[in-house]
Amino acid sequence: MSNMKIKAKEKGGVVKVKMMFTSLMADKEEAEKKQIAVEYITQIVGKCNGAVVFEVTTSGFMSENPLFKFSFKGKKGDTLEITTTDNSGKTETDSEKIK
Amino acid sequence: MDRRKFLGASVVAVAALVAPVTNLQAVDFRATKPNAWTAEHSPEAIKEMFGAGGLKTTDKIKFTAPKLAENGGSIPCNIKSDLDLESVAIFQDANPRAATAVFTVPVGGIVNYDFRIKMRKTAVVTIVAKGRDGTLYTVAKEIDVSIGGCGG
């Protein structure tokens, strides 16, 4: 199940990345209120050519289906690999070629 | 290879040489700073995350967010800076726990992050950034959340 969308575009040596994840981002209190399981992404790591280009540790207070935009110095044709980890330790990986 | 590209490439190469190997590895703030994630208020969370150092207010970090958020469930924010930062953290006082997100900036990385946060009520959002020299910078902004989402 791939539940993320990634778009990466290079212009003038800078790669702009837009990515969206499908997650309820429900923290303890919210999950209780809605009577659903606690589920949120705790970490998102972006790698390009083995080097970390983006990294964020998140909590349940990011919005539902979190959207992130970031930039890094890179070039066309490389592959960007995004890995997310959720509160239960489940990881998901997806990759996208830089256009 | 033209001159500009060559210069850029050599800067990256030098940075890669200078940077310790650990920088290539992801840092899990949840594992290293567990107390920061359970603190209820921003000051405590900041203290847990970055230590008790003095915070310096700066205008070199640009934090963009709507003054009035119509939908507290999704507030678009942007952080932009030209400073050489190591990590950027977001704290707010609206939710049961203050810590929201911590970005780790790779060496030579660009600080330009867009993200969306959730807030239950009107509160102050504090950005704390740690420079590579250890200086702590801070920017704060109050975001009004109109419950009901009518924009009133």
Side-chain angles (χ1 to χ4, degrees):
Chain A
M1 182 179 79
S2 164
N3 62 4
M4 59 180 104
K5 282 180 193 161
I6 311 165
K7 266 184 188 173
K9 213 164 191 187
E10 186 259 0
K11 204 183 176 186
V14 174
V15 181
K16 280 189 179 169
V17 186
K18 211 192 243 185
M19 51 193 183
M20 192 175 162
F21 307 93
T22 313
S23 171
L24 286 169
M25 296 308 265
D27 211 333
K28 210 170 74 195
E29 285 77 5
E30 204 186 326
E32 246 166 51
K33 215 166 123 192
K34 290 185 182 166
Q35 308 210 321
I36 48 170
V38 177
E39 185 208 332
Y40 58 91
I41 293 168
T42 55
Q43 199 183 32
I44 302 163
V45 179
K47 279 185 184 181
C48 185
N49 293 338
V52 176
V53 290
F54 173 79
E55 197 193 336
V56 63
T57 309
T58 55
S59 73
F61 306 120
M62 304 305 284
S63 68
E64 192 178 323
N65 296 340
L67 182 128
F68 284 94
K69 280 187 221 163
F70 71 97
S71 311
F72 71 94
K73 292 181 188 104
K75 61 180 195 299
K76 227 182 238 184
D78 283 354
T79 310
L80 178 71
E81 195 184 286
I82 307 284
T83 309
T84 63
T85 312
D86 74 2
N87 59 322
S88 57
K90 203 175 76 185
T91 61
E92 262 169 50
T93 308
D94 205 352
S95 57
E96 176 74 23
K97 215 170 182 186
I98 298 164
K99 279 175 192 148
Chain B
M1 196 183 260
D2 63 25
R3 187 176 164 270
R4 190 173 293 266
K5 270 192 187 148
F6 175 73
L7 281 175
S10 49
V11 166
V12 171
V14 168
L17 282 176
V18 171
V21 188
T22 46
N23 265 333
L24 296 173
Q25 221 67 47
V27 194
D28 189 354
F29 275 96
R30 210 167 271 280
T32 50
K33 304 267 162 58
N35 291 337
W37 296 93
T38 50
E40 279 175 37
H41 302 290
S42 300
E44 294 155 29
I46 292 165
K47 219 172 169 182
E48 289 288 347
M49 190 79 76
F50 293 109
L55 298 172
K56 208 169 126 190
T57 321
T58 178
D59 56 355
K60 286 203 175 114
I61 298 168
K62 291 215 162 35
F63 173 44
T64 323
K67 219 175 148 198
L68 181 81
E70 294 189 10
N71 178 6
S74 174
I75 305 165
C77 302
N78 174 267
I79 300 174
K80 219 175 187 177
S81 179
D82 292 331
L83 295 168
D84 190 12
L85 302 172
E86 191 181 271
S87 55
V88 183
I90 301 108
F91 301 96
Q92 37 65 28
D93 281 324
N95 298 329
R97 284 172 292 285
T100 304
V102 185
F103 292 93
T104 311
V105 187
V107 175
I110 303 165
V111 182
N112 184 3
Y113 298 120
D114 273 282
F115 53 93
R116 287 173 182 178
I117 61 167
K118 206 151 53 175
M119 276 167 73
R120 296 186 161 189
K121 54 177 195 250
T122 302
V124 177
V125 176
T126 315
I127 306 291
V128 180
K130 191 181 177 191
R132 249 173 246 290
D133 52 359
T135 323
L136 292 174
Y137 301 97
T138 180
V139 190
K141 192 170 181 174
E142 188 173 353
I143 301 177
D144 271 316
V145 176
S146 63
I147 294 170
C150 300

